[in-house]
Amino acid sequence: MIDRPAYGPASPDPAQSGMAEIDAATRRLMAALASLESAVERRREADRDEDELATRIQALGADRSRLADELDGTLVKSRRLERANRDIADKLDAAIGSIRAVLEADDTTDDAA
């Protein structure tokens, strides 16, 4: 039998094999860290977008509330104007009736004379 050294050219050197494994593990670790950094950055962007959306929703709610108050005020004013319009129309009708009555009374006096 031929005695070969245990770490001869036919078998890899354990130190080189260990370094290769460490290099491979380091590359995997670096890739995992890069993926983690990307995920963190995406999450930060999503949080910023969410905060911006919440701010916009709050602004829209404030606008809606302001517009609702303005609409309520406008409705009150519109009803007041409608009421005043009806009152004026009633007074005009009464004035027209009085004028007609005076004119008719004047016509009957002219006819009698």
Side-chain angles (χ1 to χ4, degrees), residues 17-94:
S17 177
M19 287 303 289
E21 288 178 17
I22 290 173
D23 287 343
T26 301
R27 283 191 298 277
R28 288 193 308 272
L29 178 60
M30 296 304 283
L33 287 174
S35 293
L36 180 59
E37 287 176 0
S38 294
V40 167
E41 186 56 35
R42 284 191 305 271
R43 182 62 201 182
R44 282 184 188 152
E45 288 177 17
D47 287 348
R48 276 188 295 244
D49 291 346
E50 188 175 310
D51 290 345
E52 187 177 316
L53 182 60
T55 301
R56 287 181 182 176
I57 289 172
Q58 187 176 11
L60 288 173
D63 285 348
R64 183 198 169 284
S65 180
R66 181 183 53 79
L67 290 171
D69 288 344
E70 287 180 17
L71 179 61
D72 289 344
T74 302
L75 288 172
V76 167
K77 186 184 283 186
S78 173
R79 288 182 184 135
R80 216 177 302 138
L81 289 172
E82 287 174 2
R83 207 172 309 119
N85 189 24
R86 276 194 304 272
D87 291 345
I88 291 170
D90 290 344
K91 287 178 182 178
L92 282 173
D93 286 343

